[in-house]
Amino acid sequence: MSYDNTQGREDLLAFEREQPENFWRADPHLRRIARHWVGEETLSKWEPDLHRFGAECAGPVDRAVRENNLTHNLPVLRRWGPYGDRIEEVEHHPSYHEAGRYIYGSGVMKVLGEPGHNLHSQLFGFLSALNGEAGHNCPLACTAGVIKALMALGTEELKERYLPRLLSTDYEKLAHGAQFLTEVQGGSDVGANAVRARPGEEPGTWRIYGEKWFCSNVTADLILMTARPEGAPEGTRGLGLFLVPRRTPDGTINRFFIRRLKDKLGTRSMASAELDFDGAFAWALGPIEDGFKNMMTYVINTSRVFNAIGTSGVARRSCFVAHGYARRRKAFGPPIIEYPLVQETLADMRSETLAMMSGTFHLLHLMDRIELGEASEEEAGYARTAINLNKMRSAQSAHEVCLSGIETLAGNGAIESFSVLPRLLRDNVVFENWEGAHNVLLMQVYRDAKQRRLHEPYLAHLRALSEGHPRLSSAVERWSREFDDVLSAAEGEATLRMRPLGAHLAWLQWAAAMVADGTDEEIIEHFLDRRIGPPAPRDAL
Ligand SMILES: Cc1cc2nc3c(=O)[nH]c(=O)nc-3n(C[C@H](O)[C@H](O)[C@H](O)COP(=O)(O)OP(=O)(O)OC[C@H]3O[C@@H](n4cnc5c(N)ncnc54)[C@H](O)[C@@H]3O)c2cc1C
């Protein structure tokens, strides 16, 4: 036997060459989901743009995002202009803007100009998320929240002034958004917000004072933020929702001051900062006393579903990379894909990913129905709980799937320059923590059920979705009983039981969505075996 490394390197190059050239074309599951929820006729109108963007995401966007995530290309804070003028700018590498031109140019924000296009928008969002956060996908979620809040609550003047730019596909001219809630004393406990608002000079205008601790997309043209008007009650009840422009109506830079950029584990090419507000000009959006409610309804719910699209993209890309690698990498003779243990890992990754995609796109479909006024009360109640559980579990599952991908590549999986997986894993850790940490989402579901009985429409709709699939229906019954039991348990015990309950309910949501969108029964069964059925012998070890 002769020993030579030529073939080993050839195999790696072949793996790289065989990665998808077009993320839309390479994904029959995504196309099936889209076709199911919007119909053949509508999809055929959308498809040319999706096809084009699928190729861009697998080609120039992928290359640009890899480049602007290199340590020496990360964003740099530039607070002052050449003449000592305060500019509060962030300088990005040119490849960051190159990626942005493609991403915004896809129409991902533009289509939100018409109600009922969340799913449409997030087909683009998903393709973009195959490159992780990509520096722009968090800003997209924030911009979507600003668009929705403005459309629902803004004055005609504000809408005219900002909506055309927020919906624009022209990267050089468009406007993008940010959303700031978190303060140094806590992100989950928004009711503890200390940033203050004082009435401004003109009616409807305000001045904002205080510090926000996590401010992503810090150079956004429009910031949506929470602040407490002086004299307002404590807790979330006393929070108003404010729109803070980067530049005041007279064109000067608003009175916020960037302290520093965060040195982050993931989402590194997107700039997150700490900010001081010292009399920043703001408009109130909607009635002041409804600030928190409006933030949750129009902004946070949207970004929780967009977040799940982000994590689904991480998982899907992990599948592409791991499967392609396993076909080419040889160990002890054959390609590693021939080993049952590798096959099982790949099959588990795949079923989890397809399930999460089905579950998340189903929620986007429901959001569209709600926006169009077509959803029943049961569907709207279902969506409220399902969005929270889906946000939690999709982030956890994507983490596991990405780690399995890294395990499949083994040593090469741990190398940043070898594949995108290390970066995607780091991005995913951030996805897990913003827009609601896992425990906080579980506790919200628990409180909603305990105080507002929201589990009733949720379970009723889950039952309806799983009708006709005996195995799924019986699992839904089992976990519905557990939900009822948890609600009658003492609070400490109930809290602990929420963790397995929340995970299983999310998996059931995904399975029900797969049944609805016509996913192959073989995939559904594999998923149910792993997640819902009796434990396999290896789990009992
Ligand atoms: C890179 C990055 C960018 C960000 N950008 C933004 C931004 O642009 N705007 C913004 O507003 N925020 C932003 N955030 C902040 C993010 O939203 C918060 O980190 C998140 O909401 C959690 O808040 P926290 O970090 O203060 O954690 P905490 O609220 O302090 O929670 C700490 C831990 O306690 C647990 N916990 C909290 N309450 C409970 C409970 N009742 N029961 C059980 N466990 C509980 C949590 O699950 C968590 O594990 C960003 C974060 C990161 C990492």
Side-chain angles (χ1 to χ4, degrees):
M1 185 169 180
S2 68
Y3 290 92
D4 182 5
N5 65 9
T6 317
Q7 188 57 46
R9 185 158 288 107
E10 271 306 313
D11 291 342
L12 296 183
L13 289 167
F15 144 69
E16 178 62 26
R17 270 198 309 277
E18 289 163 9
Q19 283 298 290
E21 288 175 358
N22 183 321
F23 289 146
W24 173 253
R25 205 177 50 211
D27 201 334
H29 189 63
L30 181 64
R31 296 201 304 275
R32 179 220 321 277
I33 293 172
R35 187 170 303 112
H36 174 79
W37 292 121
V38 305
E40 190 73 54
E41 200 185 324
T42 303
L43 185 60
S44 66
K45 290 187 198 132
W46 297 354
E47 201 148 14
D49 288 340
L50 290 163
H51 194 274
R52 193 198 60 240
F53 191 54
E56 289 168 353
C57 286
V61 179
D62 177 47
R63 286 192 290 277
V65 174
R66 286 179 199 238
E67 192 174 353
N68 60 59
N69 271 280
L70 297 173
T71 306
H72 52 276
N73 292 338
L74 293 180
V76 178
L77 179 60
R78 301 264 184 251
R79 290 206 54 219
W80 303 99
Y83 310 112
D85 43 330
R86 195 171 65 83
I87 54 172
E88 308 293 352
E89 267 297 352
V90 171
E91 191 177 313
H92 287 278
H93 189 262
S95 59
Y96 176 87
H97 298 299
E98 190 190 337
R101 273 178 212 108
Y102 285 111
I103 293 171
Y104 284 90
S106 69
V108 59
M109 291 292 100
K110 180 180 142 201
V111 300
L112 292 177
E114 248 182 88
H117 278 260
N118 292 289
L119 191 149
H120 189 186
S121 160
Q122 287 313 287
L123 287 170
F124 295 110
F126 178 82
L127 294 171
S128 183
L130 279 119
N131 290 315
E133 194 279 328
H136 295 279
N137 294 336
C138 157
L140 288 183
C142 297
T143 305
V146 175
I147 291 170
K148 282 167 192 286
L150 208 49
M151 281 166 83
L153 309 165
T155 60
E156 288 311 310
E157 192 201 331
L158 281 179
K159 285 187 209 170
E160 257 170 51
R161 190 194 295 241
Y162 289 114
L163 273 178
R165 284 181 61 214
L166 288 164
L167 296 168
S168 169
T169 52
D170 183 345
Y171 186 73
E172 317 308 329
K173 296 192 185 136
L174 56 75
H176 44 92
Q179 55 194 47
F180 304 158
L181 290 84
T182 305
E183 300 183 8
V184 70
Q185 67 277 17
S188 313
D189 186 3
V190 180
N193 267 193
V195 166
R196 301 173 316 283
R198 279 190 206 142
E201 301 75 22
E202 305 286 329
T205 68
W206 293 75
R207 295 277 168 183
I208 307 287
Y209 299 85
E211 172 201 320
K212 288 283 179 188
W213 180 240
F214 269 105
C215 302
S216 289
N217 195 27
V218 65
T219 51
D221 303 275
L222 278 178
I223 299 164
L224 258 188
M225 64 182 286
T226 46
R228 194 178 305 281
E230 284 177 346
E234 288 182 357
T236 51
R237 272 186 322 128
L239 292 177
L241 179 59
F242 297 94
L243 191 66
V244 180
R246 177 171 165 76
R247 292 192 175 276
T248 58
D250 70 8
T252 51
I253 191 95
N254 209 341
R255 289 192 59 77
F256 58 76
F257 304 84
I258 305 177
R259 274 190 200 170
R260 58 178 169 177
L261 298 187
K262 301 273 198 194
D263 184 4
K264 298 179 285 179
L265 173 78
T267 71
R268 282 166 70 78
S269 63
M270 184 269 300
S272 303
E274 296 157 20
L275 273 193
D276 288 305
F277 293 83
D278 186 19
F281 172 88
W283 291 284
L285 260 196
I288 283 289
E289 61 280 10
D290 290 342
F292 182 71
K293 193 182 96 198
N294 284 332
M295 189 70 159
M296 291 306 289
T297 307
Y298 298 108
V299 182
I300 302 298
N301 275 341
T302 303
S303 44
R304 284 182 179 165
V305 182
F306 279 41
N307 195 83
I309 284 292
T311 57
S312 302
V314 165
R316 192 55 161 148
R317 185 74 183 271
S318 303
C319 292
F320 284 144
V321 172
H323 188 265
Y325 189 82
R327 287 182 60 230
R328 284 293 176 178
R329 181 66 164 184
K330 298 190 187 85
F332 306 103
I336 61 171
I337 201 165
E338 291 182 19
Y339 293 114
L341 287 172
V342 174
Q343 287 171 8
E344 185 183 56
T345 300
L346 294 175
D348 289 355
M349 288 171 69
R350 180 159 180 257
S351 74
E352 191 79 3
T353 301
L354 301 191
M356 149 184 2
M357 288 167 65
S358 285
T360 304
F361 276 103
H362 173 233
L363 290 178
L364 285 158
H365 166 71
L366 280 184
M367 279 171 72
D368 286 342
R369 284 176 57 75
I370 292 168
E371 257 179 35
L372 294 169
E374 292 171 356
S376 64
E377 259 179 53
E378 184 183 287
E379 284 175 311
Y382 174 81
R384 156 113 192 180
T385 296
I387 284 173
N388 291 329
L389 294 176
N390 184 64
K391 191 283 169 178
M392 175 194 76
R393 191 56 231 178
S394 61
Q396 291 169 325
S397 288
H399 186 112
E400 292 166 11
V401 169
C402 192
L403 270 182
S404 295
I406 288 175
E407 183 206 333
T408 307
L409 271 65
N412 289 328
I415 303 305
E416 296 269 351
S417 57
F418 189 88
S419 83
V420 294
L421 296 190
R423 188 184 82 236
L424 264 49
L425 183 70
R426 291 187 285 97
D427 284 359
N428 200 80
V429 173
V430 176
F431 288 146
E432 289 188 70
N433 286 294
W434 64 22
E435 309 302 346
H438 305 322
N439 295 348
V440 172
L441 293 164
L442 283 177
M443 288 302 95
Q444 188 174 333
V445 169
Y446 175 70
R447 270 196 318 275
D448 281 348
K450 192 89 183 158
Q451 294 164 7
R452 301 173 53 198
R453 306 207 62 75
L454 277 186
H455 64 301
E456 288 172 356
Y458 171 77
L459 292 175
H461 196 61
L462 193 55
R463 277 194 190 101
L465 286 170
S466 50
E467 240 172 44
H469 195 288
R471 186 174 177 195
L472 180 56
S473 291
S474 85
V476 168
E477 286 316 316
R478 187 171 128 224
W479 286 98
S480 299
R481 283 196 298 278
E482 170 66 3
F483 209 158
D484 287 331
D485 281 358
V486 164
L487 292 176
S488 52
E491 187 148 329
E493 181 196 331
T495 299
L496 293 178
R497 284 167 69 181
M498 276 308 293
R499 191 173 271 164
L501 173 63
H504 281 84
L505 289 173
W507 288 323
L508 292 171
Q509 289 170 208
W510 296 355
M514 285 196 285
V515 170
D517 69 27
T519 301
D520 292 347
E521 191 55 31
E522 204 183 318
I523 304 266
I524 299 175
E525 290 296 324
H526 183 87
F527 179 72
L528 290 174
D529 285 347
R530 288 178 51 240
R531 291 308 199 181
I532 306 292
R538 70 198 150 91
D539 291 333
L541 288 177

